[in-house]
Amino acid sequence: MDGRVCRVIYDSQEKEYAYGTKFLDIAREYHDQYRDDIILAVFNNKLWELNRTIEMDGELSFLTAADTKGRKAYRRSMVMLLEKAIYNLYGTSVKLRVMHTLGQGQYCELEGSAVCQELLDKIGAQMQKLVEADIEIRKNTIHTDLAIARFMECGMEDKAKLFQFRRSSHVNIYDMDGFQDYFYGYMVPSTGYLKYFDLLLYEDGFVLVFPYEDTKKTAVFETSKKLYHTLMEAAAWAKQMQIRTVGELNEQIVKGKVQDIILLQEAEMEKRISKIAEQIAAEKNKKFILIAGPSSSGKTTFSHRMSIQLRAHGLVPHPIGMDNFYVDREKTPLDENGQYDFECLEAIDMQLFDTTMEKLLNGERTELPHFNFKTGKREFKGEFLQLGQEDVLVIEGIHGLNDKLLSALPKETKFKIYISALTQINIDEHNPIPTTDGRLIRRIVRDAFMRGTSAEHTIEMWQSVRRGEERNIFPFQEQADVMFNSALIYELPVLKMYAEPMLFAIPTDSPQHMQAKRLLKFLDYFLQVPSEEVGRNSILREFIGGSCFHV
């Protein structure tokens, strides 16, 4: 402290603090005002860890474990706690690999040891000791070359390879009582914050379970077996390609293998689509192919490619968009903010949809509606359809898996497909790529090109989109007959050249600037790949343009 003071505005009140005061000390003053633990500070519209100090005047607020960014910091820090516990018990002979997010947990596997309940109990007890010790989690900035050398020494080859392709000459490393690792994102100030967790045996590994809505209680672990197996299939293919991490992908790009990667990925995807079409064709009674999934999963391109494969297997597909069955706009329900909720089930005229599909199933010649998005009205333009023996309907819409639709139709006439972009690769062995980040970047690029929407507006609306997915899509994913992963192992290096200028355009005083800055840091991990090599039928073309389909 050198006598200088900083003027800080908190909750419209101005206070003075000594230059160099930690955000952590200020947070303690206001701790009683919050139901949940304070995790991070927001100072002058920038995110700060609580161990950082104030060195200028500014406006301050806090994020808790209940906020999205606070929750992610908690979970990220918990992974380091798990790593440290394993290291204390087994040194470098047992290595942790963080694989996928499942429910409110992180699926993990161990290299060097079988996973059993006794082992998890020992690790959990060690984690609890570290929590009780309340060890500070310190951030140190070191030269990138030194970081590469350190991680090679301790067997973290994935991290060493990641940093070989970083432009920055320095990197931030976290230290927990001498144990060091790198993490993509912010951390809590000490292990004492990490009180709530559980370790559960699951399949070939285990799940580190976190709190969720009640931040002071571990969530009940619920997951989808189909989702797990879809994720593991993708991980197995990435391992076969020797591209499990961003560093390995960058290495292949440097070697000039991009075209091979693109061709192999697209061939692998076409093989999976063909396999689903073959399954549908083999079950002669399927008439309704229902495709549902979250935003920016590539549903439209997938439905076109599926239709081609269905034709190749002797069927006659007819694409139908569920959006054409919207109720007239003035009848659309409103959300909690008074805005039209186009994603709720009641935004669909369920009676008209069900009646139309029943008539078609019965072989009747039926007129199909079109929704005019400019007028907000449903219209009939004389488009009739009658199904023959080989005809099938390919229906795309977010409610396709909900049994409240088509409930009167025989179950054996329906085939349900859940599609989502489930990223195959991780940043490194301890930093998985959130699937929502991949979908958000897809949407930012598509909205700018196809709808003239700024990245700032897309990010602003993203939480509302995510809430709709949580209500209307994810609860029904297990009801799908098959799950399809639409993520492409090469897509983020291609999307990077489009997304970066859009994200840089978001002004620093925008509420969306923090998210933009985080995504820019994320994209900086990837070497750029030109889009010319991407095929015109690729799902990626739905977002960057140039598709051979009407998307």
Side-chain angles (χ1 to χ4, degrees):
M1 304 293 182
D2 58 6
R4 286 182 288 172
V5 297
C6 298
R7 294 177 176 83
V8 175
I9 298 173
Y10 175 83
D11 196 21
S12 301
Q13 302 290 319
E14 183 177 307
K15 292 185 71 173
E16 291 186 349
Y17 292 95
Y19 179 92
T21 299
K22 284 188 176 183
F23 290 110
L24 180 61
D25 295 327
I26 302 175
R28 288 177 178 137
E29 291 183 35
Y30 300 102
H31 179 266
D32 293 341
Q33 296 181 14
Y34 292 85
R35 184 190 65 181
D36 306 287
D37 291 340
I38 295 172
I39 299 292
L40 297 168
V42 179
F43 189 61
N44 289 339
N45 202 32
K46 182 181 176 183
L47 210 56
W48 297 78
E49 290 170 325
L50 294 182
N51 282 334
R52 298 292 296 275
T53 58
I54 291 183
E55 297 174 1
M56 66 183 78
D57 298 342
E59 190 167 347
L60 175 66
S61 60
F62 293 109
L63 297 178
T64 72
D67 297 299
T68 300
K69 293 181 179 65
R71 183 182 299 124
K72 288 181 177 179
Y74 184 97
R75 296 181 175 195
R76 200 176 292 121
S77 306
M78 185 62 75
V79 169
M80 188 173 189
L81 180 74
L82 172 61
E83 274 190 87
K84 170 65 172 170
I86 293 171
Y87 179 79
N88 281 0
L89 291 169
Y90 306 107
T92 58
S93 64
V94 176
K95 294 182 181 179
L96 173 72
R97 182 166 288 275
V98 179
M99 303 286 285
H100 313 293
T101 298
L102 290 177
Q104 299 307 321
Q106 201 80 51
Y107 175 72
C108 306
E109 291 184 351
L110 295 179
E111 297 175 2
S113 175
V115 179
C116 62
Q117 190 59 54
E118 182 182 358
L119 178 138
L120 289 187
D121 289 344
K122 286 179 67 176
I123 294 173
Q126 181 65 211
M127 290 171 71
Q128 194 59 51
K129 285 183 181 179
L130 294 169
V131 171
E132 292 167 2
D134 195 20
I135 300 163
E136 182 182 3
I137 302 174
R138 293 184 288 110
K139 180 190 287 186
N140 300 315
T141 301
I142 65 175
H143 197 278
T144 302
D145 291 344
L146 178 58
I148 291 171
R150 284 188 183 177
F151 287 128
M152 284 298 291
E153 286 174 11
C154 60
M156 296 185 189
E157 292 89 355
D158 289 349
K159 282 186 170 60
K161 192 168 291 184
L162 177 71
F163 293 138
Q164 287 174 5
F165 301 99
R166 292 296 301 275
R167 293 187 181 92
S168 175
S169 60
H170 290 82
V171 63
N172 293 322
I173 302 296
Y174 288 94
D175 183 289
M176 182 186 292
D177 190 29
F179 179 81
Q180 296 184 333
D181 201 354
Y182 171 81
F183 283 91
Y184 160 57
Y186 297 97
M187 305 284 273
V188 302
S190 67
T191 58
Y193 282 70
L194 307 173
K195 300 181 183 73
Y196 314 105
F197 65 90
D198 201 358
L199 300 176
L200 301 178
L201 286 171
Y202 189 80
E203 297 289 341
D204 296 328
F206 64 97
V207 177
L208 171 61
V209 188
F210 310 108
Y212 184 47
E213 291 179 342
D214 184 346
T215 66
K216 298 187 177 181
K217 179 181 178 183
T218 306
V220 175
F221 177 64
E222 297 175 341
T223 190
S224 159
K225 288 281 187 180
K226 290 176 183 174
L227 177 62
Y228 166 79
H229 289 294
T230 303
L231 288 165
M232 293 305 290
E233 284 172 8
W237 187 81
K239 184 178 181 180
Q240 177 186 323
M241 291 283 292
Q242 297 183 318
I243 308 176
R244 293 195 300 179
T245 64
V246 175
E248 290 177 340
L249 176 59
N250 287 336
E251 195 172 52
Q252 294 297 313
I253 293 170
V254 167
K255 290 179 179 178
K257 300 292 184 65
V258 169
Q259 187 176 25
D260 290 347
I261 292 170
I262 292 174
L263 291 172
L264 284 166
Q265 171 79 93
E266 294 293 348
E268 186 270 343
M269 182 170 283
E270 196 66 31
K271 180 181 175 182
R272 286 188 283 125
I273 296 173
S274 177
K275 186 177 179 182
I276 296 170
E278 184 179 4
Q279 182 180 345
I280 293 168
E283 301 179 33
K284 301 294 185 182
N285 49 6
K286 299 301 181 189
K287 286 294 181 183
F288 304 97
I289 317 305
L290 297 150
I291 301 170
S295 174
S296 303
S297 294
K299 294 184 289 292
T300 305
T301 301
F302 174 79
S303 66
H304 282 292
R305 289 175 65 170
M306 175 57 66
S307 295
I308 291 170
Q309 286 293 338
L310 290 169
R311 282 184 178 276
H313 286 82
L315 300 176
V316 181
H318 300 275
I320 291 181
M322 202 177 289
D323 290 357
N324 286 317
F325 290 84
Y326 273 140
V327 298
D328 289 345
R329 189 156 296 156
E330 66 270 15
K331 297 179 182 178
T332 304
L334 303 179
D335 64 16
E336 57 270 21
N337 300 315
Q339 303 295 317
Y340 287 125
D341 188 355
F342 296 110
E343 296 187 338
C344 69
L345 184 60
E346 291 72 25
I348 301 292
D349 188 333
M350 289 186 283
Q351 183 177 359
L352 175 65
F353 182 77
D354 284 3
T355 301
T356 302
M357 298 305 128
E358 287 174 28
K359 288 180 178 179
L360 288 168
L361 182 62
N362 293 330
E364 298 179 36
R365 186 170 181 267
T366 308
E367 186 174 11
L368 301 176
H370 285 269
F371 192 82
N372 187 324
F373 285 90
K374 290 184 178 178
T375 64
K377 299 285 185 181
R378 192 168 54 239
E379 301 171 349
F380 290 88
K381 297 183 175 182
E383 181 185 348
F384 287 84
L385 180 63
Q386 188 171 17
L387 298 185
Q389 185 175 351
E390 306 302 331
D391 293 283
V392 294
L393 299 178
V394 180
I395 303 170
E396 176 206 334
I398 66 172
H399 300 291
L401 305 183
N402 193 329
D403 283 335
K404 289 183 180 179
L405 287 173
L406 306 181
S407 58
L409 297 184
K411 183 178 180 181
E412 60 269 18
T413 65
K414 294 176 279 189
F415 191 90
K416 297 180 178 181
I417 302 171
Y418 174 80
I419 177 173
S420 188
L422 305 168
T423 313
Q424 301 104 317
I425 62 173
N426 289 344
I427 295 172
D428 58 40
E429 59 266 77
H430 304 135
N431 288 275
I433 295 175
T435 59
T436 52
D437 280 356
R439 291 195 294 112
L440 175 55
I441 291 169
R442 279 182 172 188
R443 181 156 176 159
I444 286 169
V445 174
R446 183 197 64 190
D447 284 2
F449 283 153
M450 315 299 180
R451 304 175 184 178
T453 304
S454 69
E456 184 176 15
H457 181 71
T458 299
I459 293 173
E460 181 183 6
M461 297 300 296
W462 188 241
Q463 283 305 312
S464 174
V465 171
R466 295 279 293 117
R467 285 194 296 272
E469 294 169 351
E470 294 284 352
R471 288 194 298 262
N472 302 310
I473 300 174
F474 298 142
F476 306 103
Q477 63 185 14
E478 190 68 10
Q479 297 178 23
D481 293 290
V482 297
M483 286 190 177
F484 185 84
N485 182 8
S486 69
L488 298 156
I489 208 163
Y490 67 84
E491 69 177 78
L492 286 166
V494 175
L495 290 167
K496 174 178 178 171
M497 65 180 290
Y498 298 99
E500 281 187 336
M502 300 172 189
L503 292 167
F504 276 119
I506 297 177
T508 56
D509 59 351
S510 167
Q512 318 315 323
H513 181 257
M514 278 191 293
Q515 180 77 306
K517 185 177 178 181
R518 186 185 67 83
L519 291 174
L520 283 166
K521 180 184 176 184
F522 170 60
L523 288 170
D524 192 49
Y525 292 120
F526 297 87
L527 296 181
Q528 190 168 294
V529 166
S531 61
E532 286 79 8
E533 303 287 354
V534 180
R536 292 187 62 218
N537 71 335
S538 174
I539 278 176
L540 191 55
R541 287 289 177 190
E542 186 171 327
F543 305 96
I544 65 175
S547 176
C548 61
F549 303 118
H550 181 66
V551 294

